[in-house]
Amino acid sequence: MIRAGYRQVRHVLTRGMSSACKDAGPVVLGIESSCDDTAAAVVTGDGRILSETNRHQYSVHEAHGGIVPGLAADQHLRNIPEVVRDTLAHASLTIADIDAIAVTRGPGMPGGLTVGLAAAKTLACVHSKPLIGVHHMEAHALMARMTHSVQFPFVCLLASGGHTLTVAVHGVNEHTLIGSTRDDSVGEAFDKVARELNIPWINAQNGGGPGAALEALALEGDAMRFAMPVPMDKTDSARSPDFSFSGLKTHVRRLREAAGFDMQDRQDRADVAAAFQSTAVRHLAKKTALAIARARDILGTQPQALVVSGGVACNQAVRAGLDALAMQHGMALVCPPPQLCTDNGVMIAWAGIERLRCGLLDPYSIDFIQRWPLDQLKHMRDRPE
């Protein structure tokens, strides 16, 4: 990462734009390919989404019961040229109208990250555009600043298929990790339990996948019928802000073999889905409450907002449980719209705008970072590539 000179950033932030974008601040193209979504978007500095495109891969991976990295990378290679082309076309812009290009650098699957980075680096270099490598989880955290104008500092729960963590967000590029999962992420647990219960995936552009399918089935169930233990509720781990979901997943597997459960009975499956979801929400709320208390000490002030983002933030039961928690602590619960909680190009473009305003640009030689703790981001500020 490099800190751009004042003149370079000022030129990008103030240069004239097409009539559609005039006075809207910088216009950034964001590219996302860290998992199984090939996505791109064009966003303006005042938070307007000029266009976005997202190609999902549900039909490719459902037969395998989960995301297959090699297949995902192949699909990214197929999709990314048209995704970028269509995104620019729908915005009625050309690459000449773009002020900077932002791209997910990590964390994520190496194959997908490589495809997205190669596309972004080539576009930026050939057209002499600033390049901004974005941390995927910071992009999720900053999304609420575009949709709800959330002010720093705030507490953030990032809950997705690959991550579950709580952070104190001091500002752009500066985050303090409070709690993280010790095993499976909450999104991974939802997906695996959906597979254990043989729930067909929902194949939809927005709100699809196995986790959404489990949520839909849980609406038909009785969460009280099958008792499930809340993870990390024992004396030695009850005060830790960390999460754990592998035990819940194992409990569901054992229920499948228990007397009184019929895998062919939809009501039985719905009741287990409801019990799992209810227990997972209670666990998320309890550990997030501990994170809020620690964030007060870390930030030296009472944070005004609890931001929840990532794909699991689309889940209405999760939102309801965390809304109640936020109210108990006198905080506002802020969740981006569901379509902006799952992986998308808008969040990458917006994170690029936030970083551009701070002068945080990257050379064209950057590579992907598969494992990238969010709290290490600030230590890369002045590190040469």
Side-chain angles (χ1 to χ4, degrees):
M1 185 184 301
I2 56 176
R3 271 202 173 271
Y6 172 78
R7 290 182 180 178
Q8 181 184 4
V9 174
R10 181 172 174 78
H11 171 72
V12 174
L13 295 177
T14 61
R15 79 171 185 85
M17 293 302 305
S18 65
S19 58
C21 306
K22 194 172 183 179
D23 301 324
V27 177
V28 173
L29 170 67
I31 297 174
E32 155 63 18
S33 61
S34 64
C35 190
D36 63 327
D37 290 316
T38 312
V42 177
V43 177
T44 64
D46 60 358
R48 284 190 295 140
I49 303 170
L50 301 185
S51 66
E52 61 174 318
T53 309
N54 198 333
R55 299 279 179 87
H56 298 300
Q57 303 177 15
Y58 298 138
S59 60
V60 175
H61 300 286
E62 181 177 9
H64 302 277
I67 307 303
V68 181
L71 292 178
D74 288 344
Q75 291 299 307
H76 287 308
L77 279 171
R78 291 172 180 267
N79 292 335
I80 205 160
E82 292 183 354
V83 165
V84 172
R85 180 200 64 191
D86 292 350
T87 301
L88 290 172
H90 293 158
S92 299
L93 300 175
T94 69
I95 197 69
D97 298 310
I98 300 299
D99 290 308
I101 297 174
V103 60
T104 306
R105 185 179 182 186
M109 297 180 181
L113 292 171
T114 298
V115 172
L117 271 169
K121 287 162 60 175
T122 301
L123 281 170
C125 186
V126 169
H127 296 280
S128 299
K129 303 292 182 180
L131 178 69
I132 306 161
V134 170
H135 191 294
H136 183 84
M137 301 313 292
E138 180 177 55
H140 274 305
L142 296 178
M143 192 73 265
R145 284 175 48 79
M146 189 192 93
T147 60
H148 293 77
S149 300
V150 174
Q151 299 299 304
F152 297 122
F154 56 87
V155 181
C156 186
L157 167 64
L158 298 169
S160 69
H163 304 84
T164 305
L165 61 154
T166 47
V167 292
V169 182
H170 304 264
V172 176
N173 209 56
E174 188 171 357
H175 313 268
T176 299
L177 178 65
I178 300 175
S180 62
T181 183
R182 296 184 176 183
D183 38 64
D184 295 341
S185 70
V186 61
E188 183 181 7
F190 266 81
D191 292 353
K192 288 181 176 179
V193 169
R195 183 170 60 192
E196 289 286 345
L197 297 176
N198 290 337
I199 305 173
W201 292 21
I202 294 176
N203 189 359
Q205 274 299 107
N206 292 309
L214 186 146
E215 179 186 5
L217 183 61
L219 291 173
E220 305 174 22
D222 176 6
M224 303 301 293
R225 181 181 167 198
F226 294 101
M228 292 193 186
V230 177
M232 297 182 67
D233 209 28
K234 304 297 183 182
T235 304
D236 60 340
S237 58
R239 295 185 178 181
S240 170
D242 288 342
F243 304 89
S244 174
F245 293 95
S246 63
L248 271 180
K249 178 188 64 180
T250 301
H251 192 81
V252 170
R253 185 178 300 123
R254 289 173 179 166
L255 276 176
R256 287 186 52 179
E257 304 166 359
F261 177 80
D262 182 358
M263 191 66 179
Q264 304 306 313
D265 188 312
R266 182 178 178 86
Q267 190 60 55
D268 281 5
R269 292 158 60 219
D271 291 345
V272 171
F276 163 78
Q277 180 174 261
S278 175
T279 307
V281 170
R282 282 189 289 158
H283 180 51
L284 282 172
K286 180 176 180 179
K287 296 305 183 179
T288 303
L290 294 172
I292 291 171
R294 294 201 181 187
R296 291 193 195 100
D297 296 333
I298 293 168
L299 298 172
T301 186
Q302 167 67 34
Q304 298 303 303
L306 169 61
V307 172
V308 183
S309 192
V312 177
C314 296
N315 184 293
Q316 293 304 307
V318 169
R319 289 192 179 210
L322 294 173
D323 187 38
L325 172 68
M327 290 180 63
Q328 291 172 13
H329 288 268
M331 303 169 68
L333 176 71
V334 179
C335 301
Q339 68 272 20
L340 297 180
C341 284
T342 55
D343 293 351
N344 61 86
V346 173
M347 71 181 199
I348 304 304
W350 179 255
I353 289 169
E354 294 262 33
R355 297 182 70 77
L356 175 63
R357 286 171 171 156
C358 295
L360 299 170
L361 307 181
D362 291 287
Y364 301 138
S365 59
I366 61 170
D367 201 354
F368 71 85
I369 304 176
Q370 181 180 4
R371 295 179 178 84
W372 193 3
L374 184 55
D375 57 344
Q376 292 184 11
L377 185 58
K378 61 185 175 183
H379 301 302
M380 300 182 66
R381 181 176 298 169
D382 299 310
R383 184 183 303 172
E385 295 292 339

